[in-house]
Amino acid sequence: MTTRSTARRITTTTTKRTRNISTSTSTLSTRTLEPFLHTSSTSSLYSSSSSSSQPPFRVSGMWNNGLSYGKGPFRFYKNFDSWMSPFPPQDREMYPEIFTFPRGVYEVSLVKPLGIIFEEIEVGKGVYVVDLVEGGNAQQMVGGTIQKGDVLVGVTAVKVVGAKWERRLIPAKDLSFDTVVGAIGSNDEKWGCDDVVLWFMRPEEVEDVQKVEDFLAFFNPPGDSAWRTA
């Protein structure tokens, strides 16, 4: 990551800005989501990268709007396998790359406080693991799953619309530090969350960056999603 030398560390008490992300409990607001809301709309994952003979993979049914918001099998992200379970076998056969993490990307579930110290990759864009809190939840994971230098590429977040709410996995590779903090903090017990699910990318293990980009694009909301509006 050649940009790390210019990255800002983040803090709640000094302008140097370094912070252990673990304490925020607010729900994800439209302001917090703003950098995410302006990412490209993706109704079809392979509109540009797949062969012309392969039909596009439609994801509109994965996003709830109006009266359906907060209902159905896609209202709460628990883990990757359970989230993808509603899709039929023929989708798995035709698009196997959607149902498996790209090489160099992995998922973890952690309770708060996470015990992870993040640093910005660029100002207002992306965070990576600069250190783990000694004795913290991340460090105590069996096998030392999370390592210094891993880049956060996905995180669960709760969004409340009126009296309804959902928890989803949102791509985090281009999110600001404050947006990541808000997303992590929104995973609160009052919304049925007993953990925070995070996706990390280990750059030195990634074989195909485009595959990672395409995989993450699958989780971008379409333009009419409540996740893109107030």
Side-chain angles (χ1 to χ4, degrees):
M1 304 290 294
T2 58
T3 58
R4 287 182 186 166
S5 60
T6 60
R8 293 179 297 167
R9 288 194 177 187
I10 303 176
T11 176
T12 55
T13 57
T14 72
T15 56
K16 190 178 179 183
R17 303 195 74 193
T18 299
R19 181 163 37 177
N20 172 9
I21 300 182
S22 62
T23 58
S24 176
T25 58
S26 61
T27 57
L28 202 59
S29 66
T30 302
R31 182 192 63 78
T32 304
L33 272 174
E34 186 172 356
F36 176 64
L37 303 180
H38 293 294
T39 57
S40 60
S41 175
T42 307
S43 60
S44 169
L45 179 59
Y46 295 107
S47 58
S48 61
S49 60
S50 64
S51 64
S52 58
S53 61
Q54 187 180 40
F57 191 97
R58 301 294 180 183
V59 299
S60 57
M62 195 173 76
W63 297 93
N64 302 319
N65 290 307
L67 295 177
S68 67
Y69 188 80
K71 300 178 181 179
F74 295 111
R75 68 176 296 271
F76 191 94
Y77 187 98
K78 184 176 178 62
N79 57 56
F80 180 71
D81 289 339
S82 65
W83 184 263
M84 302 301 287
S85 62
F87 292 98
Q90 52 266 39
D91 285 344
R92 297 174 182 272
E93 294 173 2
M94 185 169 291
Y95 305 95
E97 61 271 36
I98 300 177
F99 295 88
T100 305
F101 283 107
R103 181 173 175 80
V105 177
Y106 66 94
E107 176 177 273
V108 297
S109 167
L110 282 172
V111 298
K112 295 185 292 184
L114 306 184
I116 303 174
I117 301 174
F118 288 105
E119 182 171 302
E120 287 181 314
I121 297 174
E122 300 177 18
V123 176
K125 184 179 180 179
V127 299
Y128 74 102
V129 179
V130 68
D131 206 354
L132 301 179
V133 176
E134 184 175 357
N137 291 328
Q139 190 185 62
Q140 293 182 37
M141 295 188 71
V142 177
T145 304
I146 302 172
Q147 297 181 11
K148 295 179 182 179
D150 290 353
V151 177
L152 184 71
V153 295
V155 59
T156 49
V158 171
K159 181 173 176 64
V160 180
V161 177
K164 300 178 181 180
W165 59 273
E166 292 183 348
R167 179 169 98 154
R168 289 182 173 270
L169 191 292
I170 60 175
K173 188 172 67 67
D174 296 327
L175 297 184
S176 71
F177 188 97
D178 289 339
T179 305
V180 170
V181 171
I184 291 173
S186 70
N187 293 267
D188 193 79
E189 290 183 357
K190 66 182 178 181
W191 309 118
C193 306
D194 58 7
D195 67 349
V196 181
V197 181
L198 308 112
W199 288 359
F200 288 101
M201 177 181 69
R202 190 159 295 153
E204 63 271 22
E205 295 183 5
V206 173
E207 294 180 341
D208 190 328
V209 174
Q210 187 58 52
K211 285 185 177 180
V212 176
E213 295 285 349
D214 289 344
F215 181 80
L216 295 176
F218 177 75
F219 290 85
N220 274 346
D224 62 348
S225 169
W227 283 81
R228 286 180 178 266
T229 58

